[in-house]
Amino acid sequence: MMKKIWAAVCAAAMLMTGAALAETDVRVTALKGPTAMGMVELMNEAESGAVNGNAYDFTIASAVDEVSPKLVKGETDIAAVPANLAAVLYNNTEGQVEVLAVNTLGVLYIVESGDSVKSVEDLRGKTIYASGKGATPEYALNYILTENGIDPEKDVTIEWKSEHAECLAAPQDAIAVLPQPYVTAAGLKDDTLRVALDLTAEWNAIPKDSDAPSQLITGVVVARKAFIEENPEAVSAFMDSYAASVDFVNANIDEAAELVGKYEIVPAAVAQKAIPACNITFIAGGEMKQALSGYLSVLFEQNPKAVGGAMPGDDFYYAE
């Protein structure tokens, strides 16, 4: 809050003296997929010039290993990354990365061509095909199975594949864990494919009565600590603009899908059907800290390396 007040005071002082507001260069990197979709209206607006005093340079990366070095080397200021990677970066840089907001909740779904799965209990004794061992898909699936009384090692058979496409190349009646927008893209090619379970809903149902409830989280937006400290008003302006962009995407799916296609995040036809299931959001402040810390705790209990070896401190969570 103090950062916002200070930014407003500075802006008012400059206006009173007749001085022009200086633009701040802000470099933003996002991954192809849901974690970039919420930015598209801001990206589109930024093509016409500075937005709320920020002159943006957006980069859409194809893989996580393109993003991490940019943050570490100071080649990007803000980035949309997987939630657990944010914690890993925080630990690896000794606290030089802060998370600004949660931008994507869960995007994982259980799909099948048949009609055998109506609940988590129905997975007992089944073979499940999945991609993402050692990452969110494994941790989420293990957590949901375990909390529903199913031992991932004994009560189901999980076949880990290197790519999502391999999951769909399994037997006709296979059960698979797939993320959006891959679920939508696969469904457009195979109309027998059915979403059996929303793993976000299944995760959220587990701790709903807990004193420290968590949520299944896919992506967050982070910034370099040095950039935040040097440009508090620019970060505050970004937060406002990004929140407005997320609101636009969720309220104007057809227009947003065209922009998603324009920026080659995913094809527009896929985005048009996938956006409602991608759980694009903007959660900041105390709510963000509670949800994200709860999620990271679940991962830490399974494998500390998933969050960089230690739970992040309070300085990991950006507070305006």
Side-chain angles (χ1 to χ4, degrees), residues 19-90:
L21 289 172
E23 293 180 2
T24 302
D25 293 329
V26 183
R27 300 164 298 175
V28 183
T29 303
L31 282 169
K32 284 189 173 183
T35 56
M37 290 181 181
M39 290 185 178
V40 293
E41 172 60 11
L42 176 55
M43 293 170 67
N44 189 53
E45 192 177 356
E47 286 190 4
S48 301
V51 181
N52 294 332
N54 289 347
Y56 289 102
D57 178 14
F58 286 95
T59 299
I60 301 298
S62 299
V64 169
D65 57 12
E66 296 176 42
V67 183
S68 298
K70 285 179 173 287
L71 277 167
V72 174
K73 295 177 182 178
E75 296 174 355
T76 195
D77 306 308
I78 295 172
V81 299
N84 70 306
L85 176 60
V88 171
L89 288 168
Y90 167 87

Side-chain angles (χ1 to χ4, degrees), residues 207-292:
K208 63 182 179 180
D209 298 322
S210 169
D211 292 333
S214 68
Q215 297 183 59
L216 177 54
I217 296 172
T218 296
V220 298
V221 59
V222 301
R224 293 186 295 110
K225 188 179 187 69
F227 182 79
I228 295 172
E229 292 176 343
E230 293 165 9
N231 304 279
E233 66 282 356
V235 174
S236 181
F238 167 77
M239 296 284 279
D240 291 341
S241 297
Y242 188 25
S245 182
V246 168
D247 287 343
F248 174 88
V249 169
N250 286 325
N252 302 275
I253 292 173
D254 291 344
E255 293 174 64
E258 290 301 318
L259 292 175
V260 170
K262 172 184 174 181
Y263 294 113
E264 298 182 348
I265 296 169
V266 298
V270 173
Q272 197 275 334
K273 292 183 176 295
I275 286 173
C278 283
N279 290 319
I280 298 165
T281 189
F282 184 89
I283 303 172
E287 184 181 358
M288 174 265 290
K289 181 179 180 181
Q290 181 185 58
L292 182 55

Side-chain angles (χ1 to χ4, degrees), residues 291-303:
L292 182 55
S293 62
Y295 169 73
L296 294 176
S297 293
V298 171
L299 269 60
F300 180 78
E301 289 175 8
Q302 290 190 46
N303 182 4

Side-chain angles (χ1 to χ4, degrees), residues 103-192:
N103 66 3
T104 318
L105 297 177
V107 297
L108 294 172
Y109 294 81
I110 296 284
V111 300
E112 65 170 344
S113 293
D115 194 35
S116 65
V117 178
K118 301 291 179 60
S119 68
V120 175
E121 178 58 31
D122 292 336
L123 296 173
R124 189 184 297 274
K126 302 288 200 305
T127 296
I128 304 169
Y129 294 84
S131 175
K133 185 172 178 58
T136 296
E138 179 180 16
Y139 304 131
L141 184 58
N142 283 349
Y143 177 63
I144 290 167
L145 289 172
T146 301
E147 292 297 320
N148 280 274
I150 299 174
D151 187 331
E153 299 291 331
K154 299 178 180 178
D155 298 331
V156 295
T157 300
I158 303 175
E159 295 281 351
W160 291 104
K161 303 296 183 180
S162 59
E163 297 180 359
H164 301 312
E166 293 183 62
C167 299
L168 294 175
Q172 181 65 27
D173 59 349
I175 296 166
V177 177
L178 293 177
Q180 286 288 4
Y182 200 88
V183 172
T184 296
L188 290 173
K189 296 178 181 179
D190 180 2
D191 60 8
T192 69

